[in-house]
Amino acid sequence: MSAAQDEWFVREILAHEAALMHFLRRFWPHRDELADLRQEIYVRVYEAAGKALPEQPKAFLFATARHLLADRVRRSRVVSIETMGDFEALNVLMVDGLSPEHWCGARQVLRRLSDAFDRLPARCRQVVWLRRVEELSQKQVAARLGISEKTVEKHLAKGMRLMAEGFHGGTGDGLDLAAPAPAVARREKRHERQHAD
């Protein structure tokens, strides 16, 4: 590696170490892994810069950090709703400029989505999780749960509809986030009886 690249790295990347560590502390729950994450990010940035220097080094540094964290979460297959909450709302190009209102709003949205997901019927919740979070194919979900692909498709459609209704505060045959989960089941049965008459 050239001395010019080393100088560039110190000037354009290491200058942001404090902000990078703040980012990692904020979005990664395992404090004992922070130093290793920082080092891996530096290696990725340095290797990429060996091919071509990025035009916006700071943005490239934080995009690399975000991708590394996303890779780690995907590999672990254990997605903490708290960890992913702020992380997804983060715009890495504006790391230093997020307003408290933006953070508060993003956390409220995430909480409502989490509540809507938690209130789904068990099978719908399993299907939505496997398809949308674990990113399994419809065929893989069907095989894992021992149901047909058509049933997976129906559960996914129902789950997404119920989550949308719950998120937007729908009533009727949807979810009401203010109501306890058993009330949702009672309301669905009442609705079915009304339409059967």
Side-chain angles (χ1 to χ4, degrees):
M1 298 298 164
S2 70
Q5 184 179 342
D6 290 346
E7 289 173 17
W8 171 88
F9 188 81
V10 170
R11 183 181 66 252
E12 299 292 341
I13 300 299
L14 291 182
H16 302 294
E17 183 167 4
L20 176 63
M21 290 307 291
H22 177 74
F23 171 87
L24 293 175
R25 278 192 299 274
R26 190 168 213 166
F27 298 106
W28 192 250
H30 309 292
R31 298 287 183 246
D32 58 324
E33 297 176 3
L34 295 180
D36 290 338
L37 286 171
R38 178 187 60 200
Q39 199 61 33
E40 190 169 343
I41 292 163
Y42 284 161
V43 167
R44 288 183 180 194
V45 169
Y46 193 85
E47 287 175 351
K51 297 171 187 161
L53 293 179
E55 291 181 21
Q56 297 179 348
K58 182 178 180 183
F60 184 74
L61 172 66
F62 284 97
T64 302
R66 181 176 178 266
H67 291 141
L68 176 63
L69 295 183
D71 288 347
R72 290 278 180 103
V73 169
R74 256 194 306 276
R75 270 186 283 154
S76 71
R77 292 291 188 199
V78 177
V79 180
S80 163
I81 198 79
E82 291 298 322
T83 301
M84 291 305 291
D86 289 339
F87 179 66
E88 288 300 320
L90 177 69
N91 178 350
V92 295
L93 298 178
M94 295 179 56
V95 153
D96 300 326
L98 292 175
S99 70
E101 293 82 11
H102 177 87
W103 283 105
C104 184
R107 289 197 64 78
Q108 288 173 350
V109 166
L110 181 66
R111 181 63 55 213
R112 289 178 68 195
L113 279 174
S114 176
D115 289 345
F117 177 78
D118 289 343
R119 292 181 188 285
L120 290 177
R123 183 61 76 168
C124 282
R125 193 169 49 246
Q126 287 177 312
V127 169
V128 169
W129 181 268
L130 293 172
R131 286 286 287 134
R132 297 295 186 229
V133 177
E134 293 195 21
E135 299 177 343
L136 297 181
S137 70
Q138 197 164 294
K139 186 174 186 175
Q140 290 170 317
V141 173
R144 183 178 289 190
L145 298 179
I147 58 178
S148 72
E149 287 185 57
K150 190 73 171 168
T151 303
V152 169
E153 189 176 316
K154 287 179 182 179
H155 280 300
L156 182 62
K158 179 180 179 182
M160 298 309 288
R161 178 182 55 82
L162 290 174
M163 282 187 67
E165 289 174 1
F167 178 78
H168 294 291
T171 54
D173 68 346
L175 301 174
D176 180 359
L177 295 181
V184 173
R186 286 193 302 272
R187 189 170 52 250
E188 285 180 350
K189 287 180 185 173
R190 187 171 55 245
H191 181 73
E192 288 172 8
R193 281 195 306 269
Q194 288 172 349
H195 287 326
D197 295 337

